Amino acid sequence: MLCFRLSLLPSLGLVLLCLLLGASQSYAIEIALKNSGGDICLYAKWQMNFTIHYEAENKTSKTATISDFTGMNYNESKCRDDNNHSQIVVQIGSSFSWIANFTMEASNYLIDAVSFTYNLSDASIFPDAAKTGSVTVDHPVTIKVPLNDNFRCNSVLTVPVDEVQERYWDILVQPFGKKSKNEFLCDEDKISTTIAPIIIHTTVPSPTMPTPKGNPAVGNYTITNVNGTCLLATMGLQLNITQDKSPFIININPNVTNFTGSCHPQTAQLRLNNSIIKYLDFVFATKNGNRFYLKEVNASISLTNGSDFSIANNNLSYWDAPLGSSYMCNKEQTLSVSEIFQINTFNLRIQPFNVKEGKYSTAQDCSADDDNFLVPIAVGAALAGVLILVLLAYFIGLKRHHAGYEQF
C-alpha cells in the first residue's frame, strides 16, 4: 500500500513521500527540501525503528517498539543556514521526535549527531510506566563525507543508547544539495561487499536468489553484553515466502550472514542480515517468571522479482522452554509467521536467557525430537488390550456361572 503525504513550507517547499510496505508497517521515508528558488537543498531517504525498554510500576521491565510513524511531520527541518548547518527534524505526534544534524566543512560535510526523544507519559505506548515525562537520548556520529557525495548505507545500523535500541537501514542522504552520482558507503556496506558484492546504480538490482537444493547450512550465533555471552543460537534456516501467488524459497547461508542482538532481563533479540535479507529479527520474551518463548519475528527481504517483502508478527508462541534451559529441535520444524511467510528450522538449539559460562544449559526437546513417544503409546495399547481380555474373560465366566445355576 502506498501512502503519499504532501506538506508545503513557505520558503522550503517540503515534500514528503511515505512508502508503507506490507502488513509490517515498515516505512521507507523520502524527504526533499527545496529552497526559495525551487532547487533541492536537502535530500534524504531511510528506514528506522526503535525498541525502548522501560520500567513498569510493578518493577518489571517492559518493551515498546516504535515502527509506525503515522502522523509525522517535518515542518522544523531546514536546509543550510548561515552557520553551514542543516537539520532533519521528525516530529511524531506529541510522543516522539528525532533529529539529525549536519555541518559543512570546506569540501566535506559531517553527520554530527542524532537525538531521539520519547514521552513515557503516553500510556498508550508505555502502559504502566513507573516514570513519566520526556527522555532524550543522544549519540554522536561524526561521519565525514565528501561534499558532493551522497552518504549511503544499506546495512542495518543498530545503535544501543541507554534503554533504547535504534535501527537504521537503506539510508541515502545528501544534506547540502540534490542527489549526486557519487556515493560514499558506510563501513558496514564496505565490509559486506567484500563478502557478497552489491552493485550500486541509480536503481539497485535485486541479488540473485536461486531455488535452494537440500537443507540449509547450520549457523552458530552468539550475542554478548557487558556480562559475557547472553544469547546462544544454533540453527539452519529456510525461508518460505509467497508474494503475488509466486513462491520464493531462501536458504540462509551463515557464512555470508551478519548478526547482531541484545539481551535484557525479560526480552532478547537476534537479528540476521545479508545482501538479500535486510533484517530478520527473532525476539524472545519471558512469561510467568519461569519460562521463555519466541514472541516476535520481523523481516524485510529483497526478492528476485525486484520487490521487497516486509512482515512482522509480535504475537507468536514458539520454542517454549523453562528459564535456565535451552530449547532444542534437531528435526525440521516449521514456524508459521503468517499465511504467506514460514520459516523452516533444522538442527535448532536456542538459549536467549541465563547463559552460563558461554555454554548451552540442559535442553528441552521439541515433541518432534522424541523418538521414544511410540513406546508409551505401545505400552498403553498393550495394557488396554490386556484389560479388554480380562473384562471379556470375566463376562464369559459370569455368563457360564449363571448358566450353571439355571441348569441346576
Side-chain angles (χ1 to χ4, degrees):
M1 180 173 65
L2 288 176
C3 167
F4 293 91
R5 295 181 179 273
L6 178 65
S7 60
L8 300 177
L9 293 179
S11 62
L12 295 180
L14 173 59
V15 180
L16 168 63
L17 169 66
C18 297
L19 177 61
L20 179 58
L21 300 174
S24 68
Q25 294 186 333
S26 175
Y27 284 89
I29 306 162
E30 186 173 9
I31 177 174
L33 296 182
K34 294 183 178 180
N35 58 27
S36 57
D39 297 322
I40 293 177
C41 53
L42 185 152
Y43 177 86
K45 184 178 181 180
W46 77 102
Q47 295 195 57
M48 63 182 178
N49 62 35
F50 307 91
T51 300
I52 303 167
H53 302 275
Y54 67 97
E55 183 181 355
E57 291 176 346
N58 57 2
K59 302 297 182 183
T60 61
S61 176
K62 288 192 173 184
T63 301
T65 299
I66 311 303
S67 58
D68 183 356
F69 304 124
T70 303
M72 57 189 171
N73 71 74
Y74 297 79
N75 296 339
E76 297 182 22
S77 300
K78 62 181 183 179
C79 290
R80 175 188 174 189
D81 60 18
D82 295 337
N83 296 316
N84 289 330
H85 296 304
S86 63
Q87 188 177 64
I88 298 175
V89 180
V90 179
Q91 186 68 44
I92 311 161
S94 60
S95 298
F96 305 97
S97 64
W98 180 86
I99 300 174
N101 295 291
F102 309 91
T103 301
M104 181 190 294
E105 287 187 352
S107 59
N108 298 293
Y109 65 84
L110 299 178
I111 305 175
D112 284 335
V114 172
S115 66
F116 174 61
T117 300
Y118 57 97
N119 188 358
L120 290 170
S121 300
D122 189 338
S124 65
I125 299 172
F126 305 104
D128 305 319
K131 299 179 181 180
T132 59
S134 295
V135 178
T136 299
V137 291
D138 300 285
H139 64 89
V141 181
T142 318
I143 298 175
K144 181 180 289 188
V145 183
L147 184 60
N148 294 323
D149 287 8
N150 305 325
F151 174 76
R152 178 185 285 277
C153 195
N154 292 327
S155 300
V156 178
L157 302 180
T158 302
V159 184
V161 185
D162 299 331
E163 297 302 315
V164 179
Q165 188 170 63
E166 306 172 18
R167 302 180 189 89
Y168 306 95
W169 67 98
D170 287 351
I171 304 166
L172 180 65
V173 62
Q174 171 47 267
F176 294 100
K178 62 182 180 180
K179 286 189 295 183
S180 167
K181 294 182 180 180
N182 302 320
E183 293 185 335
F184 181 91
L185 297 182
C186 64
D187 291 339
E188 288 76 9
D189 277 10
K190 293 175 183 176
I191 293 172
S192 64
T193 54
T194 61
I195 299 173
I198 301 174
I199 303 173
I200 299 176
H201 299 291
T202 304
T203 301
V204 181
S206 299
T208 57
M209 190 190 307
T211 301
K213 296 181 180 179
N215 294 343
V218 175
N220 294 294
Y221 310 100
T222 301
I223 303 302
T224 60
N225 60 15
V226 293
N227 298 317
T229 300
C230 59
L231 184 151
L232 293 170
T234 301
M235 52 189 170
L237 296 171
Q238 183 179 82
L239 311 183
N240 292 270
I241 300 167
T242 302
Q243 179 147 294
D244 298 329
K245 298 182 180 181
S246 298
F248 299 87
I249 301 175
I250 306 169
N251 280 352
I252 293 182
N253 182 356
N255 296 324
V256 294
T257 299
N258 302 313
F259 62 92
T260 58
S262 62
C263 301
H264 299 274
Q266 293 186 319
T267 60
Q269 181 194 48
L270 173 66
R271 163 168 286 200
L272 309 181
N273 73 285
N274 56 31
S275 60
I276 293 174
I277 300 169
K278 295 179 182 178
Y279 60 86
L280 175 60
D281 290 343
F282 297 92
V283 181
F284 303 88
T286 62
K287 63 179 180 179
N288 303 325
N290 59 4
R291 300 188 72 84
F292 73 83
Y293 67 105
L294 177 66
K295 181 181 186 297
E296 182 177 346
V297 169
N298 307 310
S300 180
I301 301 162
S302 299
L303 303 178
T304 50
N305 63 2
S307 65
D308 287 333
F309 176 83
S310 296
I311 198 164
N313 188 337
N314 63 358
N315 193 32
L316 301 176
S317 185
Y318 291 109
W319 303 348
D320 190 303
L323 283 173
S325 68
S326 59
Y327 178 88
M328 182 171 69
C329 196
N330 286 327
K331 293 186 178 180
E332 181 178 355
Q333 188 181 42
T334 300
L335 276 66
S336 182
V337 180
S338 74
E339 293 182 355
I340 58 173
F341 182 47
Q342 295 82 39
I343 303 175
N344 294 335
T345 63
F346 301 81
N347 298 311
L348 168 72
R349 191 166 186 180
I350 184 80
Q351 185 168 347
F353 300 99
N354 299 353
V355 177
K356 304 295 184 183
E357 299 178 353
K359 299 178 181 178
Y360 284 111
S361 300
T362 303
Q364 173 169 309
D365 290 346
C366 66
S367 58
D369 272 353
D370 191 359
D371 293 327
N372 297 320
F373 76 102
L374 291 176
V375 174
I377 292 176
V379 171
L383 290 175
V386 171
L387 179 60
I388 291 171
L389 290 175
V390 169
L391 291 173
L392 285 174
Y394 170 76
F395 286 118
I396 292 172
L398 187 63
K399 184 176 181 180
R400 287 179 178 177
H401 184 66
H402 282 293
Y405 277 114
E406 290 173 359
Q407 291 175 0
F408 178 77

